[in-house]
Amino acid sequence: MKTDIILAGVGGQGILSIATILGAAALAENLHLKQAEVHGMSQRGGDVMSCLRLSSDPIASDLIPRGGADLIVSLEPMEALRYLPYLAPGGRIVSSTVPFVNIGNYPDQEELLRELRALHGTIAFDMDEVAKEVATARSSNMVLLGACAPFTGVAPEAIEDGIRTVFGAKGAKIVDANLAAFRAGMERAKA
């Protein structure tokens, strides 16, 4: 088993929480893990990217080469497209369709979504809307995690345990909301 994942988004969206949860789940399944993060201007709404490499065999490097990502996971459609050069042939994109417009020359949103949806193997929907339906808007990153879970090579039960571990100190209500969002994302991705 080997899965190379690029997690992308904008500062404050919870991309690094996804990486932490997937990392905890992978370790619980005795997988090897390497991770590298680029925070950039994340505190000011800048892009955030994390390379997450999971494998049943030892991993030499934490960086994913161009054309090597099995999965691009993003809470922002422009950020998903930014990392297309890293997507392997046959790779998948799982992305929210909700833009985070923080620059004056943000691309035309309809054109951006058309380009994203035209890519083979893409799952793209409004993660914020699903999060609001089942939990809170702040849990859209867990909806995204649920939507990409079937492609990570990590068992959903292990990911749920990772959610419990990462959010456990915040209380049962937060854990339950994040689990509900995760499960809703899995269901939506199947549709």
Side-chain angles (χ1 to χ4, degrees):
M1 177 271 177
K2 177 197 84 62
T3 308
D4 287 341
I5 305 167
I6 290 187
L7 299 159
V10 175
Q13 289 186 308
I15 292 299
L16 300 180
S17 293
I18 293 173
T20 301
I21 292 164
L22 281 174
L27 291 174
E29 292 201 326
N30 295 314
L31 295 173
H32 294 270
L33 157 73
K34 293 273 185 177
Q35 181 182 358
E37 299 170 356
V38 176
H39 299 271
M41 294 292 292
S42 61
Q43 291 181 338
R44 301 192 187 273
D47 68 324
V48 174
M49 185 271 274
S50 180
C51 291
L52 185 61
R53 306 186 82 186
L54 309 173
S55 178
S56 52
D57 298 316
I59 304 165
S61 172
D62 55 354
L63 297 178
I64 298 171
R66 286 181 178 262
D70 301 299
L71 188 58
I72 294 175
V73 178
S74 181
L75 262 173
E76 209 291 327
M78 184 177 73
E79 294 301 323
L81 293 173
R82 177 191 309 264
Y83 293 99
L84 272 182
Y86 289 88
L87 192 63
R92 291 187 161 274
I93 297 172
V94 180
S95 178
S96 180
T97 57
V98 179
F100 186 90
V101 181
N102 59 349
I103 55 175
N105 61 344
Y106 192 91
D108 179 75
Q109 293 176 27
E110 288 182 27
E111 184 178 322
L112 189 71
L113 294 178
R114 211 173 14 259
E115 185 177 344
L116 184 63
R117 288 184 171 127
L119 298 167
H120 175 73
T122 296
I123 295 173
F125 60 90
D126 185 336
M127 309 279 171
D128 292 355
E129 178 182 305
V130 174
K132 288 175 193 172
E133 289 173 9
V134 299
T136 69
R138 290 184 53 94
S139 60
S140 60
N141 63 333
M142 293 299 104
V143 174
L144 178 65
L145 179 57
C148 78
F151 314 109
T152 63
V154 179
E157 300 79 18
I159 297 172
E160 287 190 5
D161 286 342
I163 291 170
R164 288 181 189 96
T165 299
V166 170
F167 293 110
K170 294 185 178 192
K173 185 176 178 181
I174 299 294
V175 170
D176 291 344
N178 283 300
L179 288 171
F182 171 76
R183 292 170 184 150
M186 281 198 307
E187 285 303 311
R188 180 67 186 263
K190 291 178 189 175

